[in-house]
Amino acid sequence: MFKIAVLVSGSGSNLQSIINNIKNGNLNCKLEIVIGDRPCYGIDRAKENGIEGVLVDRKIYKNNLCEEINNILATKEIDLVVLAGFLSIIDEKFVEKWKNKIINIHPSLLPKFGGKGMYGLKVHEAVVANKEKESGCTVHYVDSGVDSGQIILQAKVQVFSSDTAEVLQKRVLVEEHKLLPRAIGEIIKKK
Ligand code: GAR
């Protein structure tokens, strides 16, 4: 059975979509563990769904955060690490260890509106400020840069002149919840 680990920092709505797709049989894999880098609802969601949820606090582990996460993952046989709203920067050693086995979801049409400091609502604020006509989300492999790895899938949404960043964020999230399970499904099929 294909085994995945999900890393979170926030509410974990993308995590929930993975859980739902596993439960309804759309995704043929086992979610072995959810790791959060800060106290967050994503860890609680895991536990509520009977999945191991672990806090590896970035404030405690600081520069050793990735090493500690890796130590935990090393105790499982993980085929794919999924960053689902994980906001700590992954270090090079971790990227090298998980090369081609780690993916991220980002709430814009990369390479637009990616890079350091571009996360969550900030992305949508920038899209609205730039008067973009379309936005969307991207699932990509993680490399040693920030949001620069090979793109796997993208989904587009329209941006309306009346949009606030919050309204746009909600529209993009609907697509994220479909795109991330689709990307995981494609990777499982290739294996
Ligand atoms: C999602 O919109 C995800 O794309 C974004 O954080 C949100 C997490 O929501 N990730 C980034 O901005 C990474 N650069 P969730 O916790 O409800 O899944």
Side-chain angles (χ1 to χ4, degrees), residues 10-15 84-85 87 105-107 118-120 147 173 176:
S11 86
S13 69
N14 276 292
L15 164 68
L87 298 182
I105 182 147
H106 184 80
M118 274 293 179
Y119 59 86
D147 301 327
L173 256 185
E176 289 186 43

Side-chain angles (χ1 to χ4, degrees), residues 87-164:
L87 298 182
S88 289
I89 300 289
I90 296 291
D91 69 26
E92 283 206 25
K93 218 170 150 192
F94 194 92
V95 171
E96 199 47 46
K97 166 86 181 66
W98 292 96
K99 205 171 177 190
N100 296 321
K101 288 182 179 176
I102 177 167
I103 63 172
N104 178 47
I105 182 147
H106 184 80
S108 77
L109 294 173
L110 291 174
K112 282 184 151 189
F113 304 102
K116 213 168 174 225
M118 274 293 179
Y119 59 86
L121 196 63
K122 287 174 195 280
V123 178
H124 307 293
E125 283 167 353
V127 170
V128 168
N130 221 39
K131 298 192 177 4
E132 295 289 319
K133 293 274 180 286
E134 62 177 20
S135 189
C137 48
T138 304
V139 178
H140 64 93
Y141 285 104
V142 175
D143 67 7
S144 56
V146 180
D147 301 327
S148 56
Q150 187 199 330
I151 290 172
I152 302 166
L153 287 175
Q154 290 187 311
K156 287 182 182 173
V157 302
Q158 252 187 295
V159 182
F160 301 101
S161 53
S162 58
D163 278 349
T164 60

Side-chain angles (χ1 to χ4, degrees), residues 16-186:
Q16 189 67 56
S17 83
I18 296 171
I19 293 171
N20 294 348
N21 276 275
I22 292 174
K23 278 191 179 158
N24 69 20
N26 275 343
L27 267 183
N28 186 20
C29 64
K30 180 157 189 273
L31 178 38
E32 276 283 309
I33 187 166
V34 172
I35 300 174
D37 67 345
R38 64 201 74 193
C40 61
Y41 186 47
I43 299 174
D44 299 335
R45 270 189 210 267
K47 291 179 185 163
E48 282 167 12
N49 285 278
I51 298 157
E52 185 180 358
V54 178
L55 169 65
V56 182
D57 200 324
R58 71 201 209 283
K59 288 191 178 154
I60 294 170
Y61 287 95
K62 298 187 173 126
N63 290 339
N64 296 324
L65 179 78
C66 288
E67 195 183 338
E68 182 59 20
I69 292 174
N70 201 37
N71 288 342
I72 295 169
L73 295 180
T75 66
K76 324 257 170 199
E77 283 169 9
I78 300 294
D79 297 293
L80 184 71
V81 177
V82 180
L83 309 185
F86 186 71
L87 298 182
S88 289
I89 300 289
I90 296 291
D91 69 26
E92 283 206 25
K93 218 170 150 192
F94 194 92
V95 171
E96 199 47 46
K97 166 86 181 66
W98 292 96
K99 205 171 177 190
N100 296 321
K101 288 182 179 176
I102 177 167
I103 63 172
N104 178 47
I105 182 147
H106 184 80
S108 77
L109 294 173
L110 291 174
K112 282 184 151 189
F113 304 102
K116 213 168 174 225
M118 274 293 179
Y119 59 86
L121 196 63
K122 287 174 195 280
V123 178
H124 307 293
E125 283 167 353
V127 170
V128 168
N130 221 39
K131 298 192 177 4
E132 295 289 319
K133 293 274 180 286
E134 62 177 20
S135 189
C137 48
T138 304
V139 178
H140 64 93
Y141 285 104
V142 175
D143 67 7
S144 56
V146 180
D147 301 327
S148 56
Q150 187 199 330
I151 290 172
I152 302 166
L153 287 175
Q154 290 187 311
K156 287 182 182 173
V157 302
Q158 252 187 295
V159 182
F160 301 101
S161 53
S162 58
D163 278 349
T164 60
E166 287 82 1
V167 166
L168 178 59
Q169 182 179 44
K170 283 201 184 111
R171 193 177 305 126
V172 171
L173 256 185
V174 172
E175 296 306 317
E176 289 186 43
H177 296 161
K178 294 184 267 184
L179 196 72
L180 187 53
R182 243 183 77 204
I184 296 169
E186 290 194 6

